[in-house]
Amino acid sequence: MNLDLHKTLWAAADKLRANMDAAEYKHIVLGLIFLKYISDAFVERREALKAGLGDPKNDLYIDDKAQAAAALEDRDFYTMANVFWVPEAARWDTLRNLAKQPDIGKRIDDALIAIEQDNPSLKGILDKRFARSQLEPGRLGELIDLISSIGFGSKDKAKDTLGEVYEYFLGQFASSEGKKGGQFYTPASVVKLLVEVLSPHRGKIYDPCCGSGGMFVQSEKFVEAHGGKFGDLSIYGQEANPTTWRLVAMNLAIRGMDFNLGREPADTFHRDQHPDLKADYILANPPFNISDWGGDKLASDPRWVYGTPPAGNANYAWLQHILWHLKPTGMAGVVLANGSMSSNQNNEGTIRRAMVDADVVEIMVALPPQLFFNTQIPACLWFLTKDKIRNGRNRKGEVLFIDARKLGRMQTRVVRVFDDEDIQKIAQAVHAWRHNGEASESYADVPGFCRAVKLAEIAEDGHVLTPGRYVGAEETEDDDEAFNDKMERLAVQLAEQMAKGADLDAVIRAKLGAMGYAV
């Protein structure tokens, strides 16, 4: 990933935003990136077809020039290669040539309407808001010129570059929007950790609150990095927010990924778009502690196998919805608020006990603070499975606890990230404990970091699942200095620092006095 290029593009795009709200602007920018992507993919396919139709050695060869020209406009040649058909008026070069026209916003909306009409899979997905955007006059044209530079000079990599830029911009918009940004974006390092622990290789993958689709994108990257091929995972998602639903559809389409996001944006609990789905892998970062999820209307829902979740908090509704959709051999990773590990309010403790006793809780990870844009609430990861014999050794009756609160680094003053070393430290501990062939070393408990615990001990602790309760204290090296000697040394050091403090106070008083301010 060319980070310098992405930063330069972001700085330029952000400058063009001027006073426009980031939440509104992201749909303009990401919509244009998507439009350029499908247009570039179309042109690339068109050039390849043109070459094939004119080459006597190629199966596509057509001798008659008129017929060959007509074949270039046959959409079946495009859709068979998983390329969207783009009408001429909607092609990027057409729009770029009109970028300085005062009605360019309406022309882009018309282009998106035409693309939707010619591509049923995009129906209702593209956000047609350009004619009514609040961008200053001329700025839309400048933005089109800027996005035209993406991928320029590297045709073979242009589509990959657009996908990377889309992903980078999503993260930057989430950061700009702060609390609201977290509603559609899970930080990349958290997603990567979830995926590394689950190790999805092949099968159905599901996210019941998929935001902008980061879980799917990272899972596909994981598959390809581990020798699998693009398309080994079948993608199923659901998202309630209509604008975010469009974002995820574009984010996946821009990478040529097939997906099923249901018929429409909808509430996962009340209008499940995949009622019969049983997934191999489920990844989710549901909103924490939702109080108005309509639980009172679902009191006797069959998904509540381990107990009815309280109407005032959806945490245990999410966990049970996920377990309901998990295959008997499936695995899940879920981000939740820390309170979910220990709460005994309104039946939550009873549900947690039933889940532990049923042996569906595999791993608990405590996360450090400040990983998320939208909340300062401490968070944790739940890893669930219905079968602790598969994917490694027999782990029945055992839960792995990991305390990762000391990992990560502050990327900015307010945001923490996991580096690859942090992610690998956690993932390697999990794989070693599972004994699944993906770890470089054998497993051992590490005081203060990880420990495998039997269910009987968890029961003794009231079925509380907070890792810090089980992993113990980190081992510290004894410096062999006697207590009295250490106290004497520290007392002398403190006296020296207090004396320096008094000297500084005197200097400050003198300076203020010279300025006429007596202290």
Side-chain angles (χ1 to χ4, degrees), residues 107-413:
R107 288 176 187 267
I108 294 171
D109 284 345
D110 290 344
L112 294 173
I113 290 167
I115 289 168
E116 281 194 346
Q117 286 173 343
D118 281 324
N119 300 276
S121 65
L122 293 177
K123 188 75 178 165
I125 282 173
L126 305 183
D127 214 333
K128 299 164 283 292
R129 62 172 73 204
F130 290 86
R132 63 180 193 277
S133 80
Q134 302 300 309
L135 270 180
E136 293 176 8
R139 288 292 170 96
L140 188 53
E142 290 181 58
L143 196 55
I144 290 169
D145 287 343
L146 174 69
I147 289 168
S148 295
S149 67
I150 300 174
F152 182 75
S154 55
K155 259 189 173 175
D156 55 328
K157 293 289 183 186
K159 288 193 293 182
D160 289 344
T161 303
L162 279 163
E164 289 172 4
V165 169
Y166 190 99
E167 188 175 354
Y168 181 76
F169 275 30
L170 267 175
Q172 294 302 111
F173 277 121
S175 182
S176 297
E177 291 181 51
K179 187 168 184 178
K180 285 191 293 183
Q183 294 171 4
F184 65 85
Y185 184 81
T186 303
S189 67
V190 177
V191 175
K192 194 169 183 182
L193 173 57
L194 282 164
V195 171
E196 288 289 332
V197 169
L198 282 189
S199 297
H201 287 282
R202 178 187 295 274
K204 295 178 179 177
I205 186 166
Y206 171 54
D207 184 343
C209 41
C210 60
S212 53
M215 304 284 192
F216 301 134
V217 173
Q218 185 59 42
S219 295
E220 281 283 11
K221 286 180 183 175
F222 178 91
V223 168
E224 292 187 87
H226 289 75
K229 63 180 188 294
F230 191 77
D232 278 353
L233 293 173
S234 302
I235 292 169
Y236 296 83
Q238 181 154 348
E239 173 57 45
N241 183 302
T243 54
T244 305
W245 189 73
R246 294 187 183 106
L247 277 184
V248 61
M250 290 194 298
N251 194 18
L252 300 178
I254 208 169
R255 292 169 167 78
M257 294 162 72
D258 287 326
F259 54 88
N260 181 344
L261 300 178
R263 296 186 310 278
E264 59 193 345
D267 182 284
T268 299
F269 294 127
H270 296 271
R271 288 161 60 207
D272 191 347
Q273 297 290 291
H274 311 286
D276 301 320
L277 173 68
K278 296 297 180 184
D280 297 280
Y281 307 100
I282 300 179
L283 298 106
N285 175 21
F288 297 171
N289 305 322
I290 307 181
S291 58
D292 56 348
W293 64 283
D296 51 328
K297 299 184 184 72
L298 299 169
S300 57
D301 195 286
R303 288 172 289 186
W304 314 149
V305 172
Y306 304 96
T308 304
N313 192 315
N315 289 344
Y316 278 86
W318 286 113
L319 288 171
Q320 293 191 84
H321 173 87
I322 285 163
L323 282 164
W324 177 260
H325 278 291
L326 207 56
K327 270 186 182 173
T329 55
M331 306 165 75
V334 190
V335 186
L336 277 180
N338 266 5
S340 62
M341 299 189 287
S342 57
S343 169
N344 284 313
Q345 294 180 324
N346 304 317
N347 208 37
E348 288 184 332
T350 305
I351 299 170
R352 187 173 58 254
R353 182 176 71 234
M355 287 173 62
V356 171
D357 290 346
D359 214 5
V360 295
V361 180
E362 186 188 21
I363 304 151
M364 298 297 301
V365 181
L367 297 175
Q370 295 178 281
L371 281 172
F372 299 89
F373 295 123
N374 62 324
T375 180
Q376 294 301 312
I377 298 172
C380 62
L381 303 180
W382 290 66
F383 290 95
L384 309 172
T385 183
K386 294 178 180 176
D387 187 346
K388 289 186 179 177
I389 297 176
R390 289 176 63 88
N391 303 305
R393 67 175 178 85
N394 187 338
R395 307 175 304 284
K396 278 190 166 184
E398 197 172 296
V399 175
L400 178 64
F401 289 93
I402 296 178
D403 190 343
R405 288 177 297 174
K406 292 183 180 177
L407 299 185
R409 63 176 171 84
M410 296 304 292
Q411 186 179 48
T412 68
R413 197 169 49 82

